Amino acid sequence: MRDSVGVRSQGVTAMAYELDQFISDCRSILSQDPGPAGREKVRTQLERLLQNPDFVRRNCEEATRGLHVLYEDPELGFQVLAHINDKARVSPPHDHGDSWAIYGQATHYTDMTEWERKDDGADPAHAKLKPVKKYRLMPGHAGIYQDGKIHSIDYPDHARFVRVTGTNLDRIDRVRFDLKTGEVMRMTPQQAT
Ligand SMILES: [Fe+2]
């Protein structure tokens, strides 16, 4: 039980994996490999961070409602965000522009749907989507959405999660999709996650 908080294992008291260590690991991982494999390593480290009950309590359970930027890297640009939700929400399918996003569940759950485009992309204002993957992210688990991936999220009241994004998504172009009309719409800052 190397990563457990205060668990004595083989005569050594393991230290909890803290936010500072996670950030430092993200920095070194993404400096060496900013591509999909590096991000996958960040995803597993985020799951490790979410095993720390003190981190979850301080930053998710006891935090005030809203979106909190826990860290933004001045050099690499990645962000660590705590999404403190009170109300249930279903998001429209959306992308993360030229960035990527990792969602780590802290409390309750998030139902994820991954989508693919069925159309040829010839019409920039309209798209046809089909769901290709559905699963539930439970506390301690993190899902990764590499650049260009389209997903939607559906969570109950009080579901809270920690998200790591490759950059500040408010500064880049992103789109969301209306499933009924097929309309492709530009997203405004903080419109959806
Ligand atoms: Fe998203």
Side-chain angles (χ1 to χ4, degrees):
M1 293 291 288
R2 188 167 54 89
D3 299 335
S4 297
V5 182
V7 168
R8 196 166 273 279
S9 166
Q10 296 174 339
V12 178
T13 302
M15 297 295 289
Y17 189 58
E18 299 287 353
L19 178 63
D20 286 356
Q21 186 61 48
F22 172 69
I23 288 165
S24 152
D25 287 346
C26 288
R27 283 185 56 81
S28 70
I29 291 166
L30 294 171
S31 299
Q32 283 171 33
D33 182 359
R39 302 164 198 165
E40 174 58 25
K41 286 184 190 161
V42 169
R43 188 190 71 77
T44 59
Q45 293 308 104
L46 178 57
E47 289 193 336
R48 194 176 163 203
L49 179 64
L50 292 166
Q51 301 303 315
N52 178 347
D54 287 335
F55 167 81
V56 170
R57 183 178 45 77
R58 274 196 311 270
N59 293 284
C60 300
E61 288 169 353
E62 294 178 354
T64 53
R65 183 185 172 276
L67 172 59
H68 304 285
V69 180
L70 301 182
Y71 180 74
E72 177 168 349
D73 193 85
E75 193 189 347
L76 304 174
F78 69 87
Q79 286 191 323
V80 182
L81 308 142
H83 291 262
I84 310 304
N85 309 301
D86 279 347
K87 295 270 176 254
R89 178 169 173 264
V90 180
S91 83
H94 60 272
D95 69 8
H96 307 100
D98 288 334
S99 182
W100 46 269
I102 299 169
Y103 285 64
Q105 197 67 30
T107 69
H108 296 74
Y109 63 86
T110 299
D111 285 328
M112 293 284 181
T113 306
E114 296 184 17
W115 304 82
E116 276 176 9
R117 286 183 74 146
K118 280 198 301 188
D119 61 304
D120 58 7
D123 178 356
H126 292 88
K128 282 193 179 128
L129 299 185
K130 60 172 180 194
V132 288
K133 215 169 162 188
K134 290 188 183 196
Y135 48 96
R136 178 166 288 184
L137 271 191
M138 297 299 288
H141 290 149
I144 188 163
Y145 309 93
Q146 303 279 5
D147 22 23
K149 186 70 88 179
I150 301 164
H151 81 148
S152 56
I153 63 177
D154 180 350
Y155 55 77
D157 286 352
H158 307 298
R160 294 166 176 198
F161 53 85
V162 175
R163 203 166 56 127
V164 184
T165 58
T167 189
N168 181 345
L169 298 183
D170 289 347
R171 296 203 195 110
I172 62 174
D173 285 341
R174 304 170 60 195
V175 293
R176 63 190 168 97
F177 302 86
D178 186 316
L179 282 175
K180 284 197 187 113
T181 63
E183 228 181 315
V184 181
M185 288 160 288
R186 279 267 171 90
M187 282 173 70
T188 55
Q190 298 192 2
Q191 191 172 39
T193 48

